[in-house]
Amino acid sequence: MASNKSSSGSNKILVPEARAAMDQFKMEAANEVGVNLKKGYNGSLTTREAGSIGGQMVKKMIQSYENKLSSSGSSEE
């Protein structure tokens, strides 16, 4: 069986310099969905609250990607 390091369950950021940006992004997403997220450990969050933060982050990443695609596609004409 082939080994796949990415499926190890680790939540490690591959570029350490990106940690501050990801933390800020997570705080913004939490604020947008109305979840009181604090710096550090947030073990008291419900599964629903944590999921809504992650879902908002994915939604914003998809919107950003789509905006980049549409702006680069319109310049080809």
Side-chain angles (χ1 to χ4, degrees):
M1 184 185 290
S3 174
N4 186 355
K5 291 181 181 181
S6 66
S7 67
S8 66
S10 174
N11 203 10
K12 199 182 277 189
I13 293 181
L14 298 177
V15 180
E17 296 81 15
R19 179 166 301 282
M22 286 301 294
D23 287 343
Q24 179 63 33
F25 184 46
K26 188 187 319 177
M27 295 297 260
E28 289 173 10
N31 189 40
E32 289 172 7
V33 295
V35 175
N36 186 19
L37 193 65
K38 59 184 186 264
K39 290 187 179 187
Y41 181 70
N42 285 282
S44 62
L45 286 181
T46 65
T47 302
R48 170 168 272 184
E49 290 171 325
S52 66
I53 295 169
Q56 181 69 9
M57 291 173 73
V58 170
K59 182 179 174 182
K60 290 179 73 165
M61 285 186 271
I62 290 171
Q63 285 175 337
S64 174
Y65 182 75
E66 287 176 341
N67 289 341
K68 287 180 185 177
L69 280 179
S70 64
S71 66
S72 68
S74 63
S75 63
E76 292 179 6
E77 296 181 58

